[in-house]
């Protein structure tokens, strides 16, 4: 698999695994499927890892990582961490902007022209609820994207830990 034209070149095998991982950790799967599994009932537990280790997408993802070298997994872990941090920053900035700018605009315009909202058709509360609903859905989807990006980063960190433990065990068994 080759990188898209104009992209910075990376290891094609690693990037192929990344594409497969991002499909496993798709946002729509979190929104549509995750809320209707038994796993959602265990969200109130202090042991989230046991639940994740039983999860089908984590098992498949760990299998995908099995064919990569330690260096490739290390690269993917850095890649996933950076992706998660960027996703979180984008979510926070967008949510902040989607709240502060509209609220400031509403108060500012109301001070300048108290009748402006009636002329725009916002004398009815249902119209305002539709606008707020759209903003909430947009923020929720971005929050889910940031959540999934962090999940993927966590998976790679776990794989690094599993590999380090395996190396340590092998070192102890050597004479």
């Amino acid at each position: 698999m080759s990188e898209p034209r104009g992209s910075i070149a990376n290891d094609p095998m690693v990037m192929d695994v990344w594409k497969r991982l991002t499909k496993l950790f798709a946002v729509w799967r979190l929104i549509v499927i995750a809320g209707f599994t038994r796993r959602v009932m265990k969200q109130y537990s202090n042991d989230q890892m046991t639940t994740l280790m039983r999860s089908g997408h984590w098992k498949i993802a760990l299998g995908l990582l099995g064919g990569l070298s330690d260096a490739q997994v290390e690269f993917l872990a850095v890649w996933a961490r950076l992706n998660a941090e960027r996703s979180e920053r984008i979510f926070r900035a967008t949510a902040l902007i989607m709240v502060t700018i509209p609220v400031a605009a509403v108060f500012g315009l109301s001070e300048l022209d108290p009748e402006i909202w009636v002329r725009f058709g916002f004398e009815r509360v249902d119209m305002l609820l539709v606008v707020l609903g759209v903003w909430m859905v947009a923020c929720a989807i971005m929050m889910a994207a940031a959540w999934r990006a962090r999940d993927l980063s966590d998976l790679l960190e776990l794989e690094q830990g599993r590999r380090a433990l395996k190396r340590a065990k092998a070192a102890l068994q050597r004479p």
Side-chain angles (χ1 to χ4, degrees):
M1 174 180 177
S2 62
E3 288 298 308
R5 188 179 170 125
S7 293
I8 297 171
N10 286 309
D11 182 332
M13 183 177 180
V14 171
M15 297 319 296
D16 184 51
V17 170
W18 174 256
K19 295 278 185 210
R20 291 178 184 192
L21 289 172
T22 56
K23 286 180 183 174
L24 283 172
F25 287 79
V27 173
W28 73 266
R29 292 174 59 105
L30 176 67
I31 294 170
V32 175
I33 297 171
F36 301 101
T37 62
R38 287 180 288 153
R39 194 173 72 221
V40 80
M41 297 305 294
K42 300 198 181 198
Q43 296 299 316
Y44 301 101
S45 167
N46 67 343
D47 179 11
Q48 295 297 311
M49 292 309 295
T50 298
T51 304
L52 286 173
M53 295 306 290
R54 291 182 180 144
S55 174
H57 69 289
W58 273 60
K59 289 176 185 177
I60 294 168
L62 288 171
L64 286 171
L65 296 173
L68 298 179
S69 69
D70 289 350
Q72 288 172 317
V73 169
E74 176 71 27
F75 172 79
L76 267 182
V78 169
W79 186 274
R81 181 186 50 77
L82 290 170
N83 181 63
E85 289 172 1
R86 287 189 54 77
S87 296
E88 178 70 22
R89 285 193 308 265
I90 291 168
F91 160 63
R92 287 180 182 197
T94 303
L96 182 66
I97 289 167
M98 290 179 83
V99 171
T100 58
I101 291 175
V103 168
V106 165
F107 286 123
L109 289 173
S110 294
E111 287 295 317
L112 294 173
D113 182 4
E115 296 297 318
I116 193 168
W117 302 116
V118 173
R119 287 195 307 276
F120 283 151
F122 285 109
E123 73 274 5
R124 294 180 22 203
V125 175
D126 58 341
M127 184 63 175
L128 182 60
L129 291 177
V130 168
V131 171
L132 291 175
V134 169
W135 284 336
M136 287 173 49
V137 168
C139 284
I141 290 170
M142 293 187 76
M143 183 180 75
W147 182 282
R148 277 306 211 185
R150 185 63 210 174
D151 276 350
L152 193 45
S153 181
D154 291 346
L155 171 91
L156 286 154
E157 188 177 342
L158 170 71
E159 179 61 9
Q160 287 178 306
R162 288 167 27 108
R163 288 176 180 223
L165 179 63
K166 185 178 178 181
R167 285 190 302 272
K169 282 183 176 181
L172 287 174
Q173 292 176 351
R174 287 189 210 129

